[in-house]
Amino acid sequence: MFATVASAVVEGVEGHPVSVEVHVSQGLPGYTLVGLPDASCRESRDRVRAAILSSGLTWPNRRVTINLAPSGLRKQGASLDLPIALGILAASDQIELPRLEPMGAVGELGLDGSLRPVSGLVCMAGAIDRPQLVVPACGAAEAAIVRPGAVRSASDLRQLVDALRGEGPPLPVVGPPLAVEALIGVGDLADVRGQPMARWAVEVAAAGGHHLLMVGPPGSGKTMLASRLVGLLPTLCSDDALTVTRVHSAAGIGLPPCGLVRRAPLRTPHHTASLVALIGGGTSALRPGEISCAHSGVLFLDELGEFSAVALDALRQPLEEGLVRVTRAARAATLPARFMLVAAMNPCPCGEGGATGRCRCSESSRARYARRLSGPLLDRFDLRIEVSPPAAHMLLDGPAEESTAEVAARVHRVRAAARDRGVACNALLPPDTLDQTAPLSSEARAILRSALACGQLTGRGLTRVRTVARTLADLAGADEVDAEAVSAALALRSLPASVLGIDR
Amino acid sequence: MTGGAAGGGLSAEAAARVALVKLKQMGPARASWLLASNPAVAVLEALAAGRLPAVSSPGPAGVNADLIGAWARQLRTPELELERIAADLERHQVRVLVAGDRLWPFALDPDPPAVLFCRGDAELLAGGPRVALVGTRRCTSVGRQVAHRFGSELAGAGIPVVSGLATGIDGAAHGGALAANGVAIGVVATGLDVVYPRANHKLWDQVIEMGLLVGEAPPGTRPDRWRFPARNRLIAALSEVTVVVESHARGGALLTASEAADRGRAVLAVPGAVTNPAAVGSNALLADGCPPACTVADIVDHLESRPVPPPGGRAAATPVDLRLVGSDTETAGQGRSSRLRPLILAEAAAGDVHVDAIVAASGASVPEVLAEVQRLVGEGLIRLDGSTITSTPPPP
């Protein structure tokens, strides 16, 4: 007897449809699984057998052959347990084949027959084109985002089989996702006291999506500033939200209860993260890395000087293109990676900077530390600031600072202006349109001309300065980019001496 | 080691001295001790025979039979042949001065070097009085500026500036002297062909080209730690006045000062801010009674022989000018920018200042302050590194 069940697997952030074909025939009892399953997929035999027996059903004592089509695509993970079990049951006449026709199934089976959640449901759901989709109850909301109304959830194999046979209640339909979840775990900007330059740089970075580099001694508040930056960003539009949800689902990151990721994500990889963990890839599933999980959000690299040079270099291409192409010998995947880069670093290995009397580093170790940051990566940062520790009296007795809500109002206004120009944020403005979108006053033009002439700016730097100046003009409510905006943008681009490796 | 006069103008005594200092483990102290009662030729003959020459005192520690044996063996190698030495010096364009030469500057010195190697214009040693500007490698930007300014004003007044070509104060002093097209004399601890620190190699070349580079170590000598205190005594010995610009509580500059005091030379110190850790040593010198050097006039007053002042008279003492003349290209934001401008310049003149401090002091918004800072940078009055403002561009 022969049965086919529709299912899917994830590669990168794309779901690929998989057809599970089961053939049960006369012959010595045996079990063969073909179609390039990986190790956990091959282990499905024992799981499925135990699950079927635990559910009070019969394991066919004949020759069972299972093919995971298309046979050229590698199948990984345990998500094919459920379709295999259903296929075996159908092929051994324990459920009626026509009942399986309109259904797709995805899920891992426990030995007791329970259905376990799998990662990447959002991607898989989009790849199965049957009218109904059965998924494990836990995490079913993910699938409902993509296929509203088609998703049925089941908590164990017995419940599913009873529903298919008509002997039990029908499976519950999973509803569409709920409202946006509250922003938790992100501090308020009012907590940052007495650091006007840093606060303002965070506001500019959030408003225009510009990459930000903070250099400062330990304890000066760089990490605090970065986490509050995310709180300033507006909620994601539905396209971005769907992309981010797919990426997070494929990466196995838990999704919010409503199923859809609506807040800009903040990813903080540790500096020991491997290249693959950061960029994406891996041998089996081409999983999204941290930069993809930070798509439409913020990638915060704390202790930039501690990251391996290889990993930092690998960031340059995604920063340029907004996506990362992961290729292996047989397969390739394109993962989204349009993120805002925020980095924090100490001015020197001991952290105290070039300040005389406190820095314990030798000149050569300071120079070596500065060299780790390659020129091209440094060039990607449009805003480079030094964070100085706040004065003690400001921490305790200083005036109240603006809260996240107050600053976010300005940030959202600038983001809206950018959307009117056709981009998600000012940092993405195409260079050739700058004359229309960011017209310069004659004074501003003169300032830029002299900066170019004295070598302070390269051509690339010029474009970046103009986009930052556009954000500054938006914050000031001006249409034209004036001299003050351009001057401040140039000042924001100046490099700290410690990063240049020179003694001030 | 053959005797007799060598070709190329190198006398036998000079060549012998060069060979002597080329011996391994032969530092200035041991060389001086051996040469105290013997000409170098005799010393080499004795060492080659495996014994010490006639010496009048026990001498420094560590000179034992093994060492003498090693020296004897080294003297037999071809490198220490007279012709090889002369050719080697020729190749590095190094001139050798020994006691008795016309240009020898250490005639009455209690602890002269065995040999003085020179690159550049050795005639500069025959000029008038020289001033040493010394200080710490880890200096503040204010110290750097002062060293640069003093170096340039002294050199502009015709006074050669002597220093150690190290990073920090020394480099700034020489930079200033060269910028004023004056005379810079660099005293180094390495061989004259071994640039140390590497970062200063351009300065090194400029000093050779426009001034004089001297040292007591033969070409090829690496920067051994122990050679630097020895070098400092030469800086003191070559200068009539020694000025300590900035020094930490312990530092080579203080050693140079004490060597100068031992030789009866004047020692001055530049007063530093009491909050500046790099001024602790130089301020301590002031507490001990050294006269302060606030302007170049203070320094020149201590020279016993007056140099010929340049046309236009002695350089007047001027504090760092605030250049309050507003730029006429700016029309926008007149009121606030005219308040910010002198504030930024004044704060920057006092030392490195962070943008936050300007914002706090002026009450202006961050973009206003940044815009004014950038304008001042464009005019060349201040420098912005990241978020820190410094007064004038530091010397190269």
Side-chain angles (χ1 to χ4, degrees):
Chain A
M1 280 290 292
F2 180 79
T4 313
V5 183
S7 188
V9 289
V10 179
E11 195 167 72
V13 294
E14 298 296 326
H16 293 266
V18 167
S19 187
V20 177
E21 303 171 337
V22 181
H23 187 257
V24 174
S25 68
Q26 307 286 12
L28 287 174
Y31 179 100
T32 318
L33 180 63
V34 296
L36 293 185
D38 76 340
S40 65
C41 210
R42 259 180 270 126
E43 287 166 357
S44 65
R45 170 184 194 262
D46 300 303
R47 285 195 294 271
V48 167
R49 185 166 188 277
I52 287 181
L53 292 173
S54 301
S55 302
L57 303 159
T58 346
W59 176 263
N61 211 8
R62 289 184 281 166
R63 185 167 188 80
V64 178
T65 312
I66 302 174
N67 179 34
L68 308 172
S71 50
L73 177 69
R74 268 180 218 282
K75 325 289 181 309
Q76 53 275 347
S79 57
L80 296 173
D81 283 358
L82 181 58
I84 290 174
L86 289 175
I88 291 176
L89 292 172
S92 56
D93 290 329
Q94 295 182 67
I95 41 181
E96 290 168 16
L97 203 48
R99 308 284 275 186
L100 275 185
E101 267 299 316
M103 250 178 45
V106 175
E108 177 185 330
L109 283 172
L111 295 182
D112 58 352
S114 60
L115 247 57
R116 294 232 148 90
V118 292
S119 61
L121 266 181
V122 176
C123 318
M124 289 189 225
I128 302 176
D129 62 353
R130 299 293 165 95
Q132 282 176 39
L133 184 57
V134 177
V135 295
C138 183
E142 285 181 43
I145 297 164
V146 190
R147 300 281 311 276
V151 178
R152 312 273 184 273
S153 72
S155 47
D156 58 59
L157 188 58
R158 184 78 226 191
Q159 177 198 7
L160 173 55
V161 170
D162 284 345
L164 284 172
R165 283 178 181 169
E167 290 163 13
L171 296 175
V173 180
V174 180
L178 307 164
V180 183
E181 82 280 14
L183 195 61
I184 51 165
V186 173
D188 197 295
L189 201 54
D191 301 335
V192 179
R193 311 187 76 98
Q195 294 172 300
M197 173 88 175
R199 286 181 59 104
W200 187 73
V202 162
E203 183 178 331
V204 173
H210 304 290
H211 305 307
L212 171 66
L213 173 65
M214 296 183 280
V215 179
S220 47
K222 308 185 287 290
T223 313
M224 202 174 158
L225 287 159
S227 63
R228 277 143 184 84
L229 193 155
V230 178
L232 294 173
L233 298 175
T235 52
L236 300 176
C237 69
S238 42
D239 282 342
D240 283 341
L242 190 56
T243 310
V244 173
T245 308
R246 285 175 58 220
V247 172
H248 283 207
S249 176
I253 300 171
L255 295 178
C258 66
L260 200 59
V261 178
R262 289 302 226 126
R263 291 279 173 192
L266 168 66
R267 303 298 299 174
T268 317
H270 193 259
H271 57 76
T272 54
S274 69
L275 181 65
V276 170
L278 202 57
I279 304 297
T283 46
S284 51
L286 298 183
R287 283 166 70 106
E290 291 290 338
I291 63 174
S292 297
C293 296
H295 181 83
S296 298
V298 174
L299 182 74
F300 177 45
L301 300 180
D302 207 353
E303 307 283 354
L304 191 65
E306 302 295 323
F307 277 84
S308 79
V310 175
L312 291 182
D313 245 15
L315 287 176
R316 284 161 43 195
Q317 205 62 11
L319 278 171
E320 193 68 50
E321 298 184 85
L323 45 82
V324 56
R325 287 189 204 87
V326 181
T327 50
R328 295 286 178 273
R331 303 154 303 146
T334 304
L335 308 171
R338 173 81 65 197
F339 56 93
M340 184 160 78
L341 179 62
V342 176
M345 63 185 286
N346 291 328
C348 69
C350 78
E352 296 299 332
T356 54
R358 291 207 302 272
C359 179
R360 301 183 293 275
C361 307
S362 68
E363 285 155 36
S364 55
S365 68
R366 230 181 301 147
R368 233 178 307 126
Y369 189 78
R371 261 204 303 277
R372 300 193 60 162
L373 209 50
S374 78
L377 181 65
L378 208 52
D379 204 38
R380 295 295 196 275
F381 290 104
D382 298 325
L383 309 176
R384 297 115 146 193
I385 63 166
E386 284 174 301
V387 183
S388 69
H393 70 270
M394 293 299 287
L395 282 172
L396 291 171
D397 307 314
E401 305 272 8
E402 282 184 309
S403 68
T404 296
E406 291 169 275
V407 180
R410 296 197 288 269
V411 168
H412 293 188
R413 202 167 22 92
V414 176
R415 288 257 171 168
R419 274 196 299 276
D420 289 340
R421 295 184 193 113
V423 285
C425 58
N426 283 333
L428 299 173
L429 282 170
D432 43 353
T433 63
L434 280 176
D435 281 327
Q436 291 93 28
T437 51
L440 296 167
S441 73
S442 50
E443 261 184 292
R445 206 172 280 276
I447 294 176
L448 286 176
R449 210 174 289 131
S450 66
L452 274 170
C454 73
Q456 193 192 349
L457 266 189
T458 58
R460 187 171 185 283
L462 175 67
T463 320
R464 306 315 306 166
V465 165
R466 286 186 72 175
T467 53
V468 174
R470 175 72 265 175
T471 304
L472 296 177
D474 284 341
L475 279 171
D479 260 335
E480 200 187 37
V481 176
D482 63 355
E484 180 158 313
V486 164
S487 298
L490 279 170
L492 279 169
R493 202 175 168 77
S494 86
L495 275 171
S498 51
V499 169
L500 288 170
I502 62 173
D503 245 335
R504 231 198 330 262
Chain B
M1 187 59 222
T2 58
L10 198 64
S11 71
E13 176 66 13
R17 285 189 172 229
V18 175
L20 185 65
V21 296
K22 268 177 169 292
L23 288 173
K24 290 195 179 24
Q25 312 271 355
M26 175 68 74
R30 288 175 184 163
S32 309
W33 167 59
L34 291 170
L35 291 168
S37 342
N38 308 284
V41 180
V43 170
L44 287 180
E45 274 176 15
L47 290 178
R51 56 181 167 78
L52 285 177
V55 282
S56 48
S57 58
V63 183
N64 52 23
D66 287 333
L67 191 55
I68 299 174
W71 285 339
R73 278 192 299 278
Q74 203 183 345
L75 282 170
R76 285 195 281 276
T77 61
E79 272 163 16
L80 291 176
E81 297 273 313
L82 201 60
E83 291 81 18
R84 282 288 284 270
I85 288 178
D88 191 42
L89 293 172
E90 181 90 36
R91 189 159 43 90
H92 288 115
Q93 297 168 320
V94 170
R95 179 173 170 172
V96 165
L97 291 178
V98 294
D101 283 346
R102 170 181 60 93
L103 292 170
W104 183 249
F106 302 108
L108 298 170
D109 198 273
D111 186 16
V115 179
L116 190 68
F117 296 93
C118 309
R119 276 184 82 178
D121 188 3
E123 293 294 327
L124 294 171
L125 289 170
R130 297 173 285 268
V131 169
L133 292 176
V134 295
T136 172
R137 287 173 173 77
R138 297 173 292 143
C139 61
T140 61
S141 61
V142 175
R144 201 190 298 269
Q145 283 167 50
V146 169
H148 191 264
R149 187 149 56 85
F150 281 6
S152 101
E153 289 181 17
L154 284 169
I159 303 173
V161 171
V162 182
S163 195
L165 268 181
T167 48
I169 298 290
D170 290 10
H174 275 149
L178 291 168
N181 286 322
V183 173
I185 300 183
V187 185
V188 294
T190 58
L192 298 187
D193 55 329
V194 177
V195 178
Y196 179 82
R198 294 277 297 279
N200 273 359
H201 77 273
K202 245 186 9 198
L203 191 62
W204 195 281
D205 289 339
Q206 279 177 314
V207 167
I208 293 175
E209 201 180 296
M210 295 173 51
L212 175 64
L213 189 70
V214 300
E216 67 181 325
T221 308
R222 307 291 311 157
D224 305 314
R225 278 269 113 215
W226 53 268
R227 289 195 183 265
F228 287 85
R231 176 274 300 261
N232 287 345
R233 89 181 190 292
L234 293 185
I235 295 180
L238 280 172
S239 321
E240 201 178 307
V241 173
T242 298
V243 180
V244 177
V245 178
E246 256 189 353
S247 171
H248 289 259
R250 291 163 50 138
L254 296 179
L255 178 66
T256 314
S258 82
E259 294 275 358
D262 285 347
R263 288 165 171 77
R265 314 284 168 90
V267 177
L268 289 85
V270 174
V274 295
T275 51
N276 179 6
V280 170
S282 36
N283 283 346
L285 284 177
L286 294 173
D288 278 345
C290 285
C294 303
T295 63
V296 165
D298 295 336
I299 302 175
V300 172
D301 277 342
H302 281 88
L303 291 172
E304 286 180 358
S305 38
R306 291 278 180 270
V308 176
R314 180 175 297 164
T318 49
V320 175
D321 67 76
L322 295 184
R323 290 183 246 198
L324 286 169
V325 178
S327 160
D328 55 5
T329 60
E330 294 311 310
T331 50
Q334 282 268 301
R336 242 187 308 227
S337 84
S338 61
R339 177 169 54 87
L340 273 177
R341 199 185 163 89
L343 173 67
I344 296 175
L345 288 171
E347 290 277 352
D352 294 353
V353 61
H354 194 279
V355 171
D356 282 347
I358 305 286
V359 172
S362 68
S365 71
V366 178
E368 279 170 344
V369 172
L370 280 184
E372 187 59 39
V373 164
Q374 188 62 29
R375 266 189 282 270
L376 290 169
V377 168
E379 293 173 31
L381 296 176
I382 60 173
R383 181 187 165 105
L384 178 68
D385 296 313
S387 312
T388 309
I389 304 165
T390 30
S391 186
T392 49

